Amino acid sequence: MTVHFPFQNTYAALPASFFARVAPTPVASPRLIKLNRALAVHLGLDPDLLESPEGAEILAGKRLPDGADPIAMAYAGHQFGHFVPQLGDGRAILLGEVIDKDGVRRDIQLKGSGPTPFSRRGDGRAALGPVLREYIVSEAMFALGIPTTRSLAAVTSGERVQRETMLPGAVLTRVASSHIRVGTFQFFAARGDTDGVRALADHVIARHYPDIGLAERPYHALLERVVARQADLVARWLLVGFIHGVMNTDNCSISGETIDYGPCAFMDEYNPAQVFSSIDEMGRYAYANQPQIALWNLTRLAECLLPLFSDDKDKAIEQAQFILGEFAEKFTAAYQSGLRRKIGLFTERDGDEALVQDLLDTMAKNQADFTLTFRHLSDAAAGKVRDQFTDPAAFDEWATRWRQRFADEPQSAAERQAAMRGVNPAFIPRNHRIEAVIAAAVNDDYKPFEELLTVLSKPFEDQPQFAAYAEPPLPNQRVTQTFCGT
Ligand code: AMP
Ligand code: MG
């Protein structure tokens, strides 16, 4: 039996300037660490065969499955505000696309599978730590119901990669509804290649937004949709305390999925200015800056689309500005309604925004854990919520106003609790847990990795046997920086 991937590739049929054809570079001795069996089945793949030695070789890039048309995609991007006209997949190779059980087209991509024409000075490889981090956090995001790329598999390569030190090498198999980024549009726009921008826009519309294909102004509608998806996505990040860490335009997906998990993290204590990424020295991508940065990225996308909007440049700019102007409203609506749900409100009233903002401000002042505050609030466990605040009386005062606010809503306490428990997770991928998983894995112990994945697959369930995973780090376990590890 050989592993069969039902590929139906479309990106590789686009003009040659869109990618470079390149095969993965075989690795010494691949070993499967983890296969996401449920995802494999969803993609129409045989999980047993993927777990066979042949499957591991495919997932490590040592062997190509039938029908694969391996390519490295071209893209550009603004990195920390500076434009780089050519980035591209420097260590990722798209094997092809399959249609999943929901009828959705999915890219299957190897990350860490060897150099490509876009590698610049990089080695095309990935280290085990970042591969496990991406696996854990992307699957946790999925379980939290947040749009994201997913992880199909992780393998160790049997080779070492040179970073600050020598580290075990690994390959991640990533699944995305596409790997098209704002930076992909920028690649063509920067070259003055309007035909390229149009071909890409047409591909994106057919693939992600087919219902606008027949719209009177499909390219305007495309920008509108991407603006809406990004506004919704960033609101969802904020609502769970997620910090992407490297929101460069090349890490901003056109489909609205969270993509490129590098030095990302969930915060423990609520602090709007929180930054983890060691490379984000200016705090450009701090937690609370994320909406503003998403809009900045979308503005770069709009610039690429201007030639498709109108031959009259002023008119095109005016139209783009109008569409970009909808971001703030869309973001605020998603964020505020999410916050209302987090504090258990079923209705919407004047003053709600101030009420929830006062809670957040009090949390920030009192070093309250973001996740636990909302989770304990859901359980009406007033004592436990109070414990989150350095000055518990500050919470009591807020809690009185909160109870007054929902007193005249018709829902029962049980209904309110159930609704809140469904939006306020008990378990997030806390940094100190991820670090512990990586430290064990480097010593060839994958039990902590498996256990963490199990816990995070049901973030809204109590799982009393894993209660410790809900806890924030002890002072000596605190992780204050995350590294790109590229
Ligand atoms: P990232 O920070 O992972 O989003 O990557 C930014 C750019 O650097 C992309 O073009 C990557 O393909 C490239 N890159 C990152 N790490 C490596 C590596 N080890 N080898 C080659 N290219 C890399
Ligand atoms: Mg990237």
Side-chain angles (χ1 to χ4, degrees), residues 115-304:
T116 77
F118 302 110
S119 294
R120 295 172 289 160
R121 285 189 299 280
D123 60 2
R125 294 298 182 191
L128 178 60
V131 163
L132 296 183
R133 177 182 290 275
E134 175 155 357
Y135 195 115
I136 293 163
V137 184
S138 66
E139 287 302 302
M141 291 289 259
F142 172 74
L144 288 165
I146 298 175
T148 179
T149 62
R150 298 199 58 193
S151 297
L152 176 64
V155 297
T156 46
S157 61
E159 295 175 2
R160 302 228 139 217
V161 295
Q162 170 84 57
R163 297 295 182 258
E164 292 83 20
T165 55
M166 294 299 279
L167 298 169
V171 179
L172 180 78
T173 305
R174 179 161 74 178
V175 175
S177 68
S178 87
H179 285 85
I180 302 166
R181 308 138 191 275
V182 168
T184 319
F185 281 90
Q186 290 181 293
F187 180 85
F188 299 103
R191 286 159 180 74
D193 180 359
T194 303
D195 288 342
V197 174
R198 189 178 294 108
L200 181 61
D202 289 341
H203 176 85
V204 166
I205 290 170
R207 182 161 180 178
H208 295 299
Y209 306 102
D211 61 302
I212 63 176
L214 295 173
E216 203 183 311
R217 301 195 305 179
Y219 304 120
H220 295 75
L222 169 61
L223 181 61
E224 249 165 43
R225 290 295 176 88
V226 182
V227 165
R229 294 248 180 124
Q230 283 291 328
D232 183 67
L233 180 67
V234 174
R236 288 167 183 261
W237 288 356
L238 296 199
L239 292 166
V240 294
F242 177 72
I243 303 166
H244 182 285
V246 202
M247 288 177 72
N248 293 334
T249 56
D250 52 302
N251 294 336
C252 178
S253 154
I254 293 295
S255 74
E257 289 176 342
T258 313
I259 193 170
D260 275 7
Y261 294 88
C264 59
F266 280 69
M267 59 186 179
D268 298 303
E269 290 166 3
Y270 177 64
N271 168 17
Q274 182 76 58
V275 178
F276 283 100
S277 167
S278 61
I279 52 173
D280 190 4
E281 286 158 14
M282 309 294 286
R284 178 181 169 91
Y285 301 139
Y287 171 81
N289 281 355
Q290 295 181 113
Q292 188 186 318
I293 289 291
L295 177 57
W296 193 91
N297 290 345
L298 291 163
T299 306
R300 305 288 83 77
L301 173 65
E303 285 165 359
C304 299

Side-chain angles (χ1 to χ4, degrees), residues 379-390:
D379 291 336
K384 285 188 182 167
V385 190
R386 290 181 96 243
D387 290 347
Q388 295 301 318
F389 292 74
T390 46

Side-chain angles (χ1 to χ4, degrees), residues 344 346 406-407 409-420:
F346 289 92
F406 65 63
E409 288 192 343
Q411 285 78 12
S412 68
E415 277 174 282
R416 191 175 316 279
Q417 237 174 288
M420 288 176 76

